[in-house]
Amino acid sequence: MQQWIWVVGLALGGCAVRQAPAAPPSEAPTVEPPKVELVNVSHRRELRGGWIATVDNINWPSKPGLSAETQRAELEGLIQASADAGLNAIFFQIRPEADALYPSHLEPWSRYISGRQGADPGYDPLAFAIDACHARGIELHAWFNPYRAGLKHSDPVVDSHVAVTLADHVHKHGTHRWMDPGAPEVQDHTAAVIADVVERYDIDGVHFDDYFYPYPAKARFPDRATYQAHGNGLSLEDWRRANVDRMVERIHDVVVSRKPWVRFGISPFGIYRPGQPEGIQGFDQYAKLYADPPKWLAEGFIDYLAPQLYWPTTKTKQAYAPLLEWWSGLPGDGYTFPGNFLARLGHDTSWTIDEFRQQVALTRQHASGNIWFHIGPLVSNDQGIRDVFRSEFYPTPALLPPLTALADQRVDPPVVKVKPGGVDVTHPAARWWVVYRKGEGDWQVETVISAKTSGVALKAGDWVVTAAGRHGVESQGVRVTIP
C-alpha cells in the first residue's frame, strides 16, 4: 500500500490538499492512516455582542488612576460577566479620542486610564482583554473612533497627540476636538493607527461607531480650507461623503491586506434618512454626518452593519421592527447585527425586559445577532437581566456567522486523541474547538474553547469536536467516546 502525504494550509482554515502518492522506500513498513469517525454537525450562528465603552469611563476603568492590578481585575470582571450572560463577542473601545488603550508609537496613552494623557499604566490593556476574552470563548473586536480628537476641547493634550502633530487639521467644534475627515494627513494617520493594531494584536475585528463628520453644532464645521484644496469640483456635501467613503474603503483594504480573517464593521446611526422606511422620522445621517452605510455594504467595504436601533418597538416614528427589516434588506453580502440600547433598561415603562425579549425575537426573524450598548446592566445584573440572557436569550454557546468573504475556505477536522477524562485536540490554524454532546436526536453545542487549549475535559459519553477557523468556518466533527 502506498503512503499518502497530507499538506495543511495555515493561512485561514487549514485546507487539506491531497498530493500525489509518494513511493515509499522498499524497506519502509506499510502505514495505515488513523481511522476516525467524522460527523456533520452545525448550530445556529449569531453574534451576541456587547460594547465596553472607555470614553468618559462609561464602563472601564471605573475611574482614572486606579492601580494596574485593580484595572485588570475590573476588566476581567466585565469580560466574565459577558461570558456568564452568554455573549460571544466584545467590542472594546481602544481609541476614544485619538489616544490609545495599548502601547502605541503613533498616539499617546488615554487619559481615561491614568487621569493624565500619555501616562503609561505599566501593562497592556488590549493584550490583557484579548487573552481574557479568548480564554472564555469570546471574540475581541477593537473599537476605534476614527475622527474624534477630544471629548472636550478644553482638556490638555501632550505633544504626541494629533491636536499638536496635526494641529492644522484638528478643530474645535461644539464642545469637541475633531479631526478633519477631508485632510489626507488625517486619513493617513488613522489608517496607520489601525494597521498597527491589526498587525500587532490577535484581534477578531475592527469596529467603527457613528462618529464621522461630527454631529451638528451651532457653528459650521471649519473645513473650508480643506475643501478648497481638495474639493475637485464636487459640492461640499458630496465631497464630505466621498471623504468618508474613501476612508471606509481604505480601512477595509488595510485590514484585508494584513489579516483577511479580521472583520471590519460599522455601527451607524439607526436611521439612514427620514422616510426610509416609510413613516420613519428623525435625524438624517446622510445629510448631517455625511455617512452612507448602504453604499459601504453594497460596495463590499465592510463585513457587517450594526445600525444603532436605540428605540423601543412602541416608538412609532422610530419603530424597531420596520427599521430592522429595512436595514436587513439592504443589498450586499454582509450581515446585519442591530445595536440595542440595553443601558436604557428600567429608565421608563418602555424599557423593560419584555421589550428586549421582543427585540431579540424580531432580530432572529430578520438578522444574524445583536450588539448590546452597553454591558453595564449585565455586569450589575439589573432586574436579573444577566440571568435572563443566559437562561432565555443565549442558553447554549454559538459561534459568530462565518465571514462571508471567506465562507468557502473550508477547515480540516482536528486531530483528537482520547485520554483519561477527556481529549487532546490539535489543529494548525484553528481559533476555537467546538464541543457537541448528544441531545434529543441532534448534536448540541456544549462549549466553545480557545484552540490554544490542547486538553479538553469531557465526562463519560459520546462527543463530537470540531475546529473553527478565525474566519468562522467550522470543520466536520470528530466523534469520540469517553469511557
Side-chain angles (χ1 to χ4, degrees), residues 96-109:
E97 46 182 20
D99 51 3
L101 276 86
Y102 59 94
S104 170
H105 67 283
L106 296 170
E107 296 188 315
W109 281 101

Side-chain angles (χ1 to χ4, degrees), residues 267-268 326 328 343 426:
S267 54
W326 186 87
S328 300
T426 57

Side-chain angles (χ1 to χ4, degrees), residues 159-172:
D159 289 346
S160 58
H161 190 261
V162 293
V164 177
T165 62
L166 297 176
D168 291 343
H169 306 297
V170 177
H171 307 295
K172 295 179 180 178

Side-chain angles (χ1 to χ4, degrees), residues 147 173 178 181 209-217 237 240-245 267-273 283-293 296 308:
Y147 299 116
H173 185 69
W178 213 266
D209 53 18
D210 55 321
Y211 293 109
F212 299 100
Y213 278 84
Y215 280 82
E237 293 76 14
R240 285 177 171 177
R241 277 185 287 272
N243 292 330
V244 177
D245 292 345
S267 54
F269 184 76
I271 298 171
Y272 175 51
R273 306 209 71 180
F283 184 78
D284 189 338
Q285 68 177 299
Y286 181 86
K288 301 296 185 181
L289 302 182
Y290 307 97
D292 194 357
W296 308 334
Q308 297 174 27

Side-chain angles (χ1 to χ4, degrees), residues 123-182:
Y123 76 107
D124 186 337
L126 176 56
F128 180 85
I130 290 170
D131 289 344
C133 283
H134 288 172
R136 292 165 173 82
I138 296 174
E139 292 193 3
L140 189 289
H141 295 241
W143 166 16
F144 299 82
N145 293 93
Y147 299 116
R148 186 169 60 205
L151 192 63
K152 298 178 181 178
H153 60 65
S154 58
D155 289 326
V157 295
V158 295
D159 289 346
S160 58
H161 190 261
V162 293
V164 177
T165 62
L166 297 176
D168 291 343
H169 306 297
V170 177
H171 307 295
K172 295 179 180 178
H173 185 69
T175 60
H176 298 86
R177 283 192 186 97
W178 213 266
M179 291 177 271
D180 184 348

Side-chain angles (χ1 to χ4, degrees), residues 54 67 85 102 107 122 210 259 282 312 314 328 336 347 396 413 468:
T54 59
S67 69
Y102 59 94
E107 296 188 315
D210 55 321
K259 293 180 181 176
T314 55
S328 300
T336 300
H347 277 225
T396 59

Side-chain angles (χ1 to χ4, degrees), residues 47-48 95 99 102 115 172 207 214 220-221 245 271 390 409 423 428 463 483:
L47 172 61
R48 305 165 176 180
R95 192 203 193 210
D99 51 3
Y102 59 94
K172 295 179 180 178
H207 183 79
R220 174 188 177 275
F221 185 69
D245 292 345
I271 298 171
R390 170 56 80 182
Q409 299 288 328
V423 293
W463 302 87

Side-chain angles (χ1 to χ4, degrees), residues 422-476:
V423 293
D424 281 328
V425 191
T426 57
H427 191 281
R431 167 69 87 199
W432 309 111
W433 313 134
V434 186
V435 180
Y436 292 78
R437 59 178 171 80
K438 192 67 171 178
E440 295 183 4
D442 295 322
W443 294 96
Q444 298 177 352
V445 178
E446 177 76 8
T447 189
V448 175
I449 301 171
S450 170
K452 291 182 178 180
T453 303
S454 58
V456 179
L458 298 175
K459 297 178 181 179
D462 289 335
W463 302 87
V464 167
V465 181
T466 70
R470 285 175 167 83
H471 56 321
V473 175
E474 195 176 3
S475 74
Q476 282 186 294

